[in-house]
Amino acid sequence: MLRLPAALAVLTAATLYASAAPADQPTVHFEPIDGGLKILVGDDMLATYVYRDEEILRPYFTNVHAPGGVRVTRHHPPRTGIDSTDHATMHPGIWLAFGDVSGHDFWRNKARVEHVEFAERPASGAGHGSFTVKNRYVADGETVCTEVCRHRIVVQPDGWLLTYESQFTGEAEFYFGDQEELGLGVRMRAELRVKGGDGRIRNADGRVNEPNVWGKQSAWCDYSGVVDGRRVGLLLMPSPQNFRRSWFHARDYGFMAANPFGRNAFTREEKSRVPVKPGETFDLRYGVLVYASPADESPDLEQTYRDYVKLDAE
């Protein structure tokens, strides 16, 4: 697929949003903090994007909130006696990470994803916002590959859409390996867990909860529950433009990841190895809808997915 240069793509998207967004849409805006950005929609906090952390050696979104101010991801750092404290430095909220890039583990903080720069500075607007980062994947003092990732935040009728649009390149050949811990992951707050909470996992094929969802490929997967009289959740949507459909590593304790790499990990079929040669670009894209609705209702998740696919193709 033909890709626009990053700067032109951002300009084109901004123009589309400006022409399509109603004037009364809340403004998506950004507040710089040390090592990160606070992301707000109107007066409501959406999340904090962290690009520098001494313990978590990769970027992530943390303390993610749905419209109305209800937090949907686990408190970070987890609170002893309130939150589950497992994987505290691996499950910070929403993150893209890989347990095997050319044999190096960027999921478990055994190698570092370094923030190089904002390739496009945070841009605010009515109903939308965006920023683009350049990251360097470093292991044993050497650069394994480079990532340029554009994030878009789009106000939608059912919630707030957050996108990952990543392009990976390398001066030498590198590869993505095969295990459960690769791809886009989320960790839900305690009340939204299936086990020990009021949560539910559901995929695009109508399968429900870990025994039926784990290891299955699907167009999307939703993790939601009722908090403070509202149904809140995260809808995780791998782009159909990705090189392969994602398997979902979904757990009843509040964790979910969309992984297109783990063929052997999930099916015991031939082990996957996805090489990227010098001069080639490897694309990986996801959308995450952060939503809230009345307790006895749920967004039209299939329509939400179709809307994301349309936006992703622009």
Side-chain angles (χ1 to χ4, degrees), residues 183-205:
L184 190 67
V186 303
R187 183 63 186 262
M188 311 301 292
R189 65 181 287 175
E191 293 90 338
L192 300 179
R193 297 174 298 180
V194 175
K195 186 177 181 180
D198 186 45
R200 180 189 65 186
I201 307 168
R202 181 162 66 94
N203 72 10
D205 304 305

Side-chain angles (χ1 to χ4, degrees), residues 21-150:
D24 60 351
Q25 285 273 38
T27 298
V28 177
H29 57 107
F30 306 89
E31 295 182 0
I33 60 172
D34 184 27
L37 290 172
K38 288 186 177 181
I39 306 170
L40 298 99
V41 181
D43 295 328
D44 292 336
M45 173 64 71
L46 169 55
T48 299
Y49 174 73
V50 179
Y51 60 80
R52 187 172 60 246
D53 187 318
E54 292 304 314
E55 291 188 304
I56 302 176
L57 307 183
R58 46 181 164 79
Y60 58 90
F61 292 88
T62 191
N63 294 320
V64 179
H65 293 74
V70 180
R71 182 170 45 82
V72 294
T73 59
R74 182 173 65 173
H75 193 279
H76 178 72
R79 299 162 295 179
T80 302
I82 301 175
D83 304 302
S84 300
T85 57
D86 61 285
H87 303 97
T89 59
M90 289 190 285
H91 296 177
I94 302 175
W95 66 94
L96 180 66
F98 309 97
D100 182 1
V101 181
S102 295
H104 303 290
D105 188 347
F106 293 90
W107 184 284
R108 300 170 184 84
N109 298 304
K110 296 182 179 180
R112 179 183 293 273
V113 181
E114 295 181 350
H115 173 85
V116 177
E117 63 180 352
F118 283 97
E120 295 288 341
R121 300 298 300 178
S124 302
H128 66 89
S130 65
F131 63 95
T132 302
V133 293
K134 182 178 181 180
N135 299 318
R136 181 168 51 234
Y137 285 61
V138 180
D140 301 328
E142 301 291 333
T143 298
V144 179
C145 64
T146 299
E147 173 195 20
V148 175
C149 182
R150 179 165 61 130

